Amino acid sequence: MAVADQTSDSGARKGIGEYLASHLREYGLLFALIAIMAFFQIVTDGTLLRAVNVTNLMLQNSYIIIMALGMLIVIVSGNIDLSVGSVMGFIGALAAVMIVEGDMPVLVTVVVCLVAGGVIGAAQGYWVAYWKIPSFIVTLAGMLVFRGLSLWLLEGQSVGPFPKEFQIIANGFVPDIFPAGFGTALAGIFGARQVNVLALGTGIVAAAAIVWIGMRARARNKAYGIEDEPRSFFVARNVIVSAALIFILYKLATFRGLPNVLITMGVLTVIYAFLTENTVIGRRVYALGGNEKAAKLSGIKTERLTFLAFVNMGILAAAAGLVFAARLNTATPKAGFALELDVIAAVFIGGASMSGGVGKIVGAVVGAFLMGVLNNGMSIMGIGIDYQQMIKGLVLLAAVIFDVYNKQKQG
């Protein structure tokens, strides 16, 4: 009996070890983010996770995350887009000219800018999809073209400020719908001056939803006989993610509540995660990046799919441009300069493969936050921009080396 128990325990340990080894990239990214946040929390004497700094982290990384969602789809499809930073800056300049100089309504400007972003993505995607010109070349040309257009449109000068109706896109907060008495009561419990009940409640509901979705997926996999992660990993992962989510939302609740851009990011993340993991078009994008010839032979319209990936990227780059301009309250000729590198780095650090066909939306978001925490933490420590760039470059190189190592090991 004792021998049987030992054999069972050994098999369980082996199963856990094999599962961790095969999913090292996913768990490694989560552990890396936790370790980096813990490190900066210690060396900055608690500044990193103060309520005001957590809010700033959300605001500062919002446009990076929005573009990372589109960039993941482009990279998974086997392409790349180097023009997103320039497109973002151009759209911000277009919004400034329309609103500040042209006195156009904010809503009309937002719609026109999003349509312009889609047209830009379509123009670039057309050459990549139907003329088979490498996306690196097409989008490199686009990067130069739209950088020049931004300079021309703004005549080399900054244009602003924007009206408050436009600024709330990036700097606004969702008002608490609950009576002030609830917030005051919770503030007494948590030892804070005031608590935004809506923000805290959103964190609790979101954490509960994540656990429920995970349990439902686990039960479905078990019913179909699909091998799932060990129970201990499932429990630990959900506890860590839920606790982190509630903690972050609590920090936001003790400051000014839910930023508008956080709602935008959350909704977009959920939509794109669903599209990539639970729809036919999402599976086709992965098939396209995994093997384009095989995907085409199986009946997938690869050209149209590539074209749509770039249209989507253009729209999200335009949305990021509006957020960036609203956050700065001005449009500058240098807006978005080199931001495409941060976006691409976030996607690769988040687990996307250089060869396409591999990557997840959640990984791209976590990768963007990891880069954001690095930037924020090093800035708080007073590390110069020169060292920051070198450290970020080494982190990106390490992520790519890790990806290549995993592929060689599996092969």
Side-chain angles (χ1 to χ4, degrees), residues 139-155:
T139 57
L140 179 61
M143 179 178 70
L144 299 174
V145 168
F146 293 108
R147 179 64 57 201
L149 282 174
S150 297
L151 285 167
W152 169 76
L153 198 59
L154 296 175
E155 297 180 348

Side-chain angles (χ1 to χ4, degrees), residues 90 112 132 141 144 169-170 174 177 188 229 247 276 363 392:
F90 170 72
V112 169
K132 304 302 179 184
L144 299 174
I169 293 175
V174 179
I177 61 175
E229 61 184 330
F247 176 78
T276 54
K392 286 160 60 178

Side-chain angles (χ1 to χ4, degrees), residues 1-55:
M1 188 71 174
V3 174
D5 290 341
Q6 289 177 0
T7 304
S8 177
D9 292 342
S10 175
R13 285 194 297 270
K14 183 179 179 181
I16 293 174
E18 289 178 351
Y19 181 83
L20 181 60
S22 61
H23 295 77
L24 188 59
R25 187 63 183 269
E26 298 174 21
Y27 287 104
L29 181 64
L30 180 61
F31 294 147
L33 179 60
I34 294 172
I36 289 172
M37 292 186 72
F39 170 77
F40 283 120
Q41 176 70 357
I42 293 171
V43 298
T44 61
D45 295 325
T47 301
L48 181 73
L49 293 179
R50 287 179 183 169
V52 61
N53 196 59
V54 171
T55 302

Side-chain angles (χ1 to χ4, degrees), residues 285-325:
V285 170
Y286 283 93
L288 168 63
N291 190 322
E292 184 177 358
K293 290 183 178 179
K296 193 164 188 176
L297 289 173
S298 66
I300 296 175
K301 297 180 179 179
T302 55
E303 290 85 1
R304 186 174 68 178
L305 210 55
T306 300
F307 176 77
L308 291 176
F310 278 93
V311 172
N312 175 73
M313 183 71 257
I315 294 172
L316 290 178
L322 294 172
V323 171
F324 188 78

Side-chain angles (χ1 to χ4, degrees), residues 41-386:
Q41 176 70 357
I42 293 171
V43 298
T44 61
D45 295 325
T47 301
L48 181 73
L49 293 179
R50 287 179 183 169
V52 61
N53 196 59
V54 171
T55 302
N56 285 334
L57 267 173
M58 297 295 174
L59 299 178
Q60 290 168 359
N61 292 285
S62 56
Y63 40 88
I64 298 293
I65 292 173
I66 290 172
M67 289 193 289
L69 300 176
M71 185 64 73
L72 176 80
I73 294 176
V74 170
I75 289 175
V76 165
S77 70
N79 297 287
I80 199 164
D81 192 340
L82 300 177
S83 69
V84 292
S86 297
V87 172
M88 189 192 85
F90 170 72
I91 294 298
L94 179 62
V97 170
M98 291 182 67
I99 295 175
V100 179
E101 296 183 353
D103 200 26
M104 295 287 290
V106 171
L107 182 60
V108 172
T109 300
V110 169
V111 173
V112 169
C113 288
L114 292 177
V115 171
V119 171
I120 290 169
Q124 297 190 127
Y126 170 76
W127 296 109
V128 176
Y130 297 104
W131 286 71
K132 304 302 179 184
I133 301 176
S135 57
F136 180 89
I137 301 300
V138 173
T139 57
L140 179 61
M143 179 178 70
L144 299 174
V145 168
F146 293 108
R147 179 64 57 201
L149 282 174
S150 297
L151 285 167
W152 169 76
L153 198 59
L154 296 175
E155 297 180 348
Q157 298 180 354
S158 298
V159 176
F162 290 99
K164 290 184 178 180
E165 295 80 11
F166 185 79
Q167 293 180 44
I168 61 173
I169 293 175
N171 299 321
F173 290 81
V174 179
D176 196 351
I177 61 175
F178 294 92
F182 286 101
T184 304
L186 286 175
I189 296 173
F190 292 113
R193 286 185 294 181
Q194 183 65 28
V195 172
N196 187 296
V197 182
L198 178 63
L200 184 59
T202 300
I204 295 172
V205 171
I210 289 173
V211 173
W212 180 76
I213 292 171
M215 292 178 65
R216 187 180 177 186
R218 186 177 178 85
R220 185 172 60 250
N221 290 342
K222 186 177 181 180
Y224 286 104
I226 301 174
E227 186 178 354
D228 208 344
E229 61 184 330
R231 183 183 296 273
S232 57
F233 272 89
F234 175 78
V235 173
R237 176 172 60 82
N238 279 279
V239 167
I240 292 173
V241 171
S242 299
L245 189 59
I246 293 173
F247 176 78
I248 294 299
L249 268 295
Y250 163 72
K251 286 293 184 179
L252 295 177
T254 57
F255 184 54
R256 295 181 62 186
L258 295 171
N260 291 337
V261 289
L262 179 61
I263 302 298
T264 303
M265 287 189 298
V267 170
L268 287 174
T269 300
V270 171
I271 291 173
Y272 280 89
F274 177 80
L275 287 174
T276 54
E277 297 178 16
N278 298 282
T279 65
V280 173
I281 192 170
R283 289 189 287 270
R284 287 178 176 176
V285 170
Y286 283 93
L288 168 63
N291 190 322
E292 184 177 358
K293 290 183 178 179
K296 193 164 188 176
L297 289 173
S298 66
I300 296 175
K301 297 180 179 179
T302 55
E303 290 85 1
R304 186 174 68 178
L305 210 55
T306 300
F307 176 77
L308 291 176
F310 278 93
V311 172
N312 175 73
M313 183 71 257
I315 294 172
L316 290 178
L322 294 172
V323 171
F324 188 78
R327 171 140 177 82
L328 290 184
N329 196 23
T330 186
T332 65
K334 291 187 177 181
F337 181 75
L339 273 182
E340 59 274 351
L341 302 181
D342 282 348
V343 176
I344 294 170
V347 174
F348 282 134
I349 290 172
S353 173
M354 297 176 296
S355 55
V358 177
K360 289 187 176 182
I361 289 294
V362 174
V365 173
V366 174
F369 270 119
L370 192 148
M371 293 291 288
V373 170
L374 275 175
N375 287 332
N376 187 264
M378 289 188 290
S379 296
I380 294 173
M381 291 177 65
I383 297 176
I385 190 67
D386 47 355

